[in-house]
Amino acid sequence: MNQAPKIGLVSLGCPKALVDSERIMTTLRSQGYSFSRDYEGADIVLVNTCGFLDSAKQESLEAIGEALNENGRVIVTGCLGVEEGLIRETHPSVLAITGPHQYESVVSAVHQHLPPVPNRFVDLVPESGLKLTPRHYAYLKISEGCNNRCSFCIIPQIRGDLVSRPAAGILGEAEGLIRSGVKELLVISQDTSAYGVDVKFATSKYRGREVKAKFYDLAKELGQMGAWTRLHYVYPYPHVDQVIELMAEGLVLPYLDIPFQHASPNVLKSMRRPANQEKTLDRIKKWRDICPDLAIRSNFIVGYPGETEEDFEFLLDWLEEAEIDRAGCFKYEPVTGAPANELDGVVPEEVKDERFAQLMEVAQDVSFHRLQQKVGRTIDVIVDDVRPEENRVIARSKWDAPEIDGNVIVSNATGIKIGDIVSVTVTDNDEYDLFATPALH
Ligand code: SF4
């Protein structure tokens, strides 16, 4: 059995700092680390500092110095961590510095400098954490809550305002997932494009670099990790344009999941949707100029209170003009507690049913034509399922997210495993799926 990596812990300061130390220890212990009572037996030393008074700062600096002399590999966390300049000036060789209550950052710094050793005999949890998804793709949650107040939604009431995770914690998690075999990261949140707004885009240290908690910076960092990076729940804010350039460069998948919910300005206004502006069509055209391969998936609500026949027709025309590759549709339902329930103009159920059917018909038509344009191309696909008895595999293109979008059905496929990324030539399509054969090399 592999030996558990050992951590030495020096905990200074008040009871709050002590509780922080306990939390850090609990997390690390559950990940298979053990602890050493002396410097000698430790592979790395964690110093949880105090910075309340000058005397406490001095004591913390001395403790860091002692740990460096006795062991040499030191990570600093806690209140003095906010004064990184002071620590670096006195002790330039510390491995990483994180501030108070930054559990994720300190744990990810430990992972980086002393990776956990997976031990299949004692680990209840695999290296990548427990996942409900297959081994080759994983969801990566970058924030909780939402600052928007859409009239039909109660998520902010339940989950509160936006709370973004530090970039270092997300990147550390992504790295662990990729190490354990994940080939595709699905970035999720309630409002991915708002990532970091709540923390004013604060930086955190990842692999010796300061990384901003900002949508573009995070997308770029993730895109450089070598896995497919797919972005969900993005709103069409102007700063999204920059991320489309990352797609054109091939760093991030040419795929955007934007829950537009409607297109008619009246309905959008009543829905209080974020980034609601009349120029969205122009924005989409501009995106497609930058990245012609871009696929857009979206969701729409029909039968929202006050939606007129004109609003609905507007939506259908818009959907065609915007060429939404993948559209899902919900019939409006009054969720208990949602402000939209107070609105006049309730749409009868049979009208909702009719509009739903009409929208899905238009959406299928658009999807068919978009997919038809891919026929003849040679593309990379990721394999979700292998059916040897049928001599084919079920895969997905870069334009398809798992569970919600279509598939690429590859025939004459042999020697291919789940999770493989293979090159195929598209031979045909229907409304949802592409059909292909392995590409000849
Ligand atoms: S963006 Fe709107 S619909 Fe989405 S979670 Fe926030 S409030 Fe709800």
Side-chain angles (χ1 to χ4, degrees), residues 146 148-150 152-153 155-156 190 235 273-274:
C146 182
N148 304 311
R149 294 293 180 265
C150 300
F152 53 82
C153 176
I155 283 179
Q190 304 298 339
Y235 288 101
R273 292 295 287 159

Side-chain angles (χ1 to χ4, degrees), residues 179-195:
R179 218 176 18 235
S180 70
V182 165
K183 304 261 183 73
E184 179 179 0
L185 298 167
L186 305 146
V187 175
I188 55 163
S189 69
Q190 304 298 339
D191 181 354
T192 296
S193 32
Y195 171 64

Side-chain angles (χ1 to χ4, degrees), residues 51 55 100 188 293 326 328 366 370-371 373 405 434:
S55 57
I188 55 163
D293 239 0
R326 305 286 191 184
V366 174
R370 296 284 295 167
L371 291 174
Q373 291 164 24
D405 295 327
L434 291 173

